[in-house]
Amino acid sequence: MKLTNILDIEGLTFRYPEAPKEAVSHFDLHVPEGEIVVLAGPSGCGKSTLLRTVNGLIPHMYSGDYSGEVKVAGASVKGTDMRDLSQRVGFLFQNPENQIFMFTVERDVAFGLENIGVPREEMRGRVDEALRLLGIASLAQRAPHELSDGQKQRVALAGVLAMRPRLVILDEPTSLLDPKTAGDLVALVAGLRKELGTTFVVVEHRIDLLVKVADRLVVMSEGKKVLEGTPRDVLFGEEAESYGVATPSVTKLQKMLAHDGLATGGALLSPAELARELEERQR
Amino acid sequence: MIEFQDVTFVHQNGVKALDGVTLKIESGETVALVGENGAGKTTLVKHVTGLLKPASGRVLVDGQDTKATSTARLSRKVGVAFQNPDHQLFSESVEEEMSFALRNFGFPPEVVRNRVAWGLELFGLEEYRKSSPLVLSGGEKKRLTLACILAWDPDVVILDEPTVGQDSLQKERLAGTIKLLKSAEKTVVVVSHDIEFLWPIQPRVVVMKAGKVVGDGPAPRIMQDEALLASARVAQPQLVEFHRSLSSKPLEPFADALEARRWVEGAFRP
């Protein structure tokens, strides 16, 4: 059986009006449903533009020279209106303040559902579930603007998840979260993928958090896709560092030790796993 | 020197953000402020510039009480790059943004020109000189605010989550800049969740939880204190975790991967 792709990007090129160069250039990406894909690359490499072509902000809201095709679940983004797209693609912005604006957390999480006319009873259930999934049920009646940035981020993500999109795009979702909360979020993403089959495309600089759960790591530079593979293959390659992809420190160590013949390089190891492997090999 | 004396601060909504914080930061120290979201880190640094004033207790910057000093005077001494750069960028061009404070502080035009050129180059923003700050990416905006602050050469530099939106090359450069500030004997306070970024800098680490300082000491000691880290929801650096997992090991954890490699080579090479 042929795997169905939830996202197909083919030969995509986009240039903002009067920009000297293309923001995204001849880009191809095919994501089967249920994958977790991490998109990395230096700042200004075109990641944010690429994401806008998937959620439809480009070409529906931003004009420019557009060629190639982006399809979500087989439907062309160009030919689908923003309202329909909002139900297929969930999008979490870098800065949650851009998507939080209601008077209570609960109302904020319900906002998208109200907009698409979800019946009241179902809405209640979906909002409660989203709040629970993100561990913010106790904040339901609070005013979002009183919350910390990390809490705001969780409120925004709850609003995205309540829509139950098949594809969720996370633009640096952990950047404002403390490491434990960030770890919880990554575990949550992995759990949602398993439970609901949701596909995630995650732009993230903190690769260390995601290497264990991601199926694929895609690296962009100057609007082009320059590397693609499993996290292990990309991080063990020679080029990742030069594109500004942060290799986790223990992976850097494992790579050097594998090069020295002191460790294996078959799969990415956690710090404890690497220590265990070294000691077992010595025996 | 920055001194917090039993500082308490209560938000308008009644939440106690700082609860009896006593902390002394000597001139020239590099201090990392860590702890979970809502622990009070940002509220604490806002007290250094006088943006917030304590409900009780005192904050002294070089002996001056922030309650009795104008924010304008404090800002010449203390530069803060806030978490959200949108709150501090307002000019029509990147160049103008950088020049603004310098002119306000009375630097002569050629000094303004030189420092703007220096900052744009150091932070890789030269190509945006004439662009509006609003077209920059999140990471670029953060670099711009940092460039603006360093240009007027304050004694104290406060960086609130400086690595957000930065790729690894930018982070390396940022770590380099912090080391440079350290060697120039500036006081540097870094608020960050990015433990992997902080660890090789080996700063003094102050751990906050629920408005209180719950840990304070050199990075190796704090980062090996698992009970403290767990209670404050702070992650352990990967290399400290690796060090902990070894059954025989050197006394101090490895500061970077190269140091770890050298030790492993010695210990495990048959």
Side-chain angles (χ1 to χ4, degrees):
Chain A
M1 193 183 79
K2 194 168 161 279
L3 275 174
T4 38
N5 288 339
I6 187 75
L7 176 63
D8 287 293
I9 301 177
E10 267 163 46
L12 180 73
T13 295
F14 183 78
R15 190 159 61 90
Y16 291 101
E18 288 166 51
K21 55 188 179 193
E22 291 155 350
V24 173
S25 177
H26 305 284
F27 198 96
D28 293 291
L29 182 67
H30 301 278
V31 182
E33 185 145 28
E35 272 202 4
I36 296 176
V37 179
V38 177
L39 188 60
S43 49
C45 72
K47 298 187 297 274
S48 299
T49 302
L50 186 74
L51 299 185
R52 286 175 181 164
T53 67
V54 178
N55 70 7
L57 280 176
I58 295 173
H60 296 295
M61 309 296 271
Y62 290 86
S63 60
D65 297 337
Y66 184 111
S67 63
E69 184 69 275
V70 180
K71 287 181 185 166
V72 174
S76 158
V77 167
K78 218 173 172 175
T80 310
D81 67 35
M82 287 296 283
R83 193 187 152 84
D84 283 350
L85 276 169
S86 74
Q87 294 176 59
R88 293 164 194 256
V89 185
F91 194 93
L92 185 72
F93 290 93
Q94 217 161 33
N95 185 350
E97 296 198 12
N98 294 341
Q99 60 197 122
I100 292 182
F101 38 81
M102 298 299 283
F103 296 113
T104 69
V105 164
E106 196 175 59
R107 289 296 305 277
D108 216 289
V109 174
F111 181 79
L113 298 174
E114 281 175 3
N115 259 358
I116 57 167
V118 170
R120 206 163 174 75
E121 268 313 295
E122 189 187 340
M123 189 151 73
R124 178 82 265 153
R126 287 216 220 169
V127 169
D128 287 348
E129 186 193 26
L131 291 172
R132 183 183 52 78
L133 280 169
L134 286 159
I136 51 173
S138 64
L139 302 179
Q141 301 306 324
R142 292 276 297 276
H145 69 264
E146 294 175 355
L147 305 178
S148 72
D149 285 339
Q151 289 168 329
K152 283 180 192 162
Q153 182 74 306
R154 279 181 272 173
V155 172
L157 183 56
V160 169
L161 292 179
M163 299 285 280
R164 294 190 180 154
R166 284 165 72 188
L167 172 64
V168 174
I169 297 174
L170 308 175
D171 191 1
E172 294 197 50
T174 70
S175 60
L176 296 171
L177 304 183
D178 59 72
K180 294 278 181 189
T181 311
D184 293 347
L185 181 70
V186 170
L188 171 69
V189 164
L192 289 168
R193 182 261 296 266
K194 205 170 159 198
E195 213 174 308
L196 311 171
T198 313
T199 309
F200 289 91
V201 173
V202 190
V203 168
E204 183 61 72
H205 289 301
R206 285 158 72 180
I207 306 277
D208 54 318
L209 289 167
L210 281 150
V211 287
K212 287 291 204 180
V213 302
D215 300 289
R216 217 160 358 146
L217 180 54
V218 175
V219 181
M220 274 184 91
S221 177
E222 297 186 353
K224 296 192 171 67
K225 180 171 78 182
V226 288
L227 296 170
E228 180 175 12
T230 62
R232 185 256 168 230
D233 288 350
V234 172
L235 295 177
F236 263 59
E238 297 301 317
E239 290 170 280
E241 294 263 337
S242 65
Y243 290 116
V245 178
T247 308
S249 51
V250 82
T251 303
K252 218 182 265 180
L253 178 62
Q254 186 191 353
K255 191 173 151 184
M256 291 191 285
L257 294 175
H259 178 265
D260 301 342
L262 289 170
T264 54
L268 293 179
L269 301 175
S270 69
E273 287 166 352
L274 180 60
R276 205 178 316 128
E277 191 196 272
L278 286 169
E279 288 174 352
E280 274 168 11
R281 280 166 68 99
Q282 201 181 33
R283 270 187 229 122
Chain B
M1 186 170 71
I2 304 165
E3 224 180 326
F4 296 87
Q5 297 175 344
D6 197 20
V7 172
T8 295
F9 182 82
V10 184
H11 281 301
Q12 280 176 340
N13 60 16
V15 175
K16 209 182 234 183
L18 296 178
D19 187 1
V21 171
T22 295
L23 181 68
K24 207 186 266 185
I25 297 172
E26 301 286 347
S27 295
E29 268 196 294
T30 301
V31 179
L33 213 49
V34 303
E36 66 183 314
N37 288 127
K41 306 179 302 283
T42 299
T43 306
L44 189 75
V45 297
K46 281 185 177 165
H47 277 77
V48 183
T49 49
L51 261 181
L52 297 177
K53 311 273 160 113
S56 68
R58 296 203 304 168
V59 180
L60 305 175
V61 177
D62 288 340
Q64 290 175 312
D65 192 325
T66 57
K67 269 187 181 159
T69 317
S70 72
T71 307
R73 267 186 72 179
L74 281 169
S75 67
R76 178 66 187 85
K77 200 174 276 186
V78 184
V80 191
F82 288 110
Q83 216 171 86
N84 187 348
D86 290 331
H87 295 166
Q88 59 195 129
L89 296 175
F90 47 80
S91 297
E92 291 198 349
S93 71
V94 165
E95 184 176 38
E96 177 52 29
E97 188 70 50
M98 278 199 73
S99 312
F100 179 79
L102 291 170
R103 276 202 308 268
N104 261 2
F105 287 134
F107 287 97
E110 74 272 17
V111 174
V112 174
R113 257 198 316 277
N114 288 342
R115 292 212 180 164
V116 168
W118 166 86
L120 294 178
E121 216 258 296
L122 181 66
F123 290 96
L125 296 167
E126 186 52 51
E127 61 178 305
Y128 300 115
R129 184 185 271 267
K130 302 282 180 203
S131 313
S132 158
L134 301 178
V135 309
L136 303 183
S137 73
E140 287 160 347
K141 283 181 189 167
K142 294 205 84 134
R143 279 176 1 238
L144 175 58
T145 55
L146 188 52
C148 291
I149 287 153
L150 295 187
W152 84 72
D153 197 29
D155 296 333
V156 180
V157 177
I158 298 177
L159 310 174
D160 196 352
E161 296 292 352
T163 64
V164 171
Q166 310 299 338
D167 61 58
S168 70
L169 299 174
Q170 293 299 344
K171 279 193 203 178
E172 253 171 55
R173 215 182 275 192
L174 188 61
T177 306
I178 292 174
K179 283 176 190 158
L180 194 74
L181 292 169
K182 207 172 168 177
S183 66
E185 294 181 354
K186 300 286 180 193
T187 308
V188 184
V189 180
V190 188
V191 175
S192 182
H193 289 314
D194 196 338
I195 298 297
E196 294 294 324
F197 169 76
L198 296 172
W199 175 247
I201 299 169
Q202 296 275 299
R204 168 182 166 193
V205 179
V206 173
V207 187
M208 290 192 72
K209 188 192 174 184
K212 290 188 165 76
V213 171
V214 293
D216 184 359
R221 179 160 68 74
I222 297 294
M223 289 304 168
Q224 290 184 93
D225 187 339
E226 276 154 52
L228 171 65
L229 297 181
S231 85
R233 294 180 65 82
V234 173
Q236 194 167 41
Q238 286 198 328
L239 290 172
V240 179
E241 202 186 326
F242 172 68
H243 177 264
R244 184 191 78 199
S245 306
L246 292 165
S247 23
S248 69
K249 57 191 140 195
L251 210 56
E252 289 276 294
F254 316 105
D256 57 41
L258 278 173
E259 200 184 308
R261 179 200 207 176
R262 272 196 298 276
W263 184 84
V264 171
E265 284 281 348
F268 289 93
R269 179 66 76 195

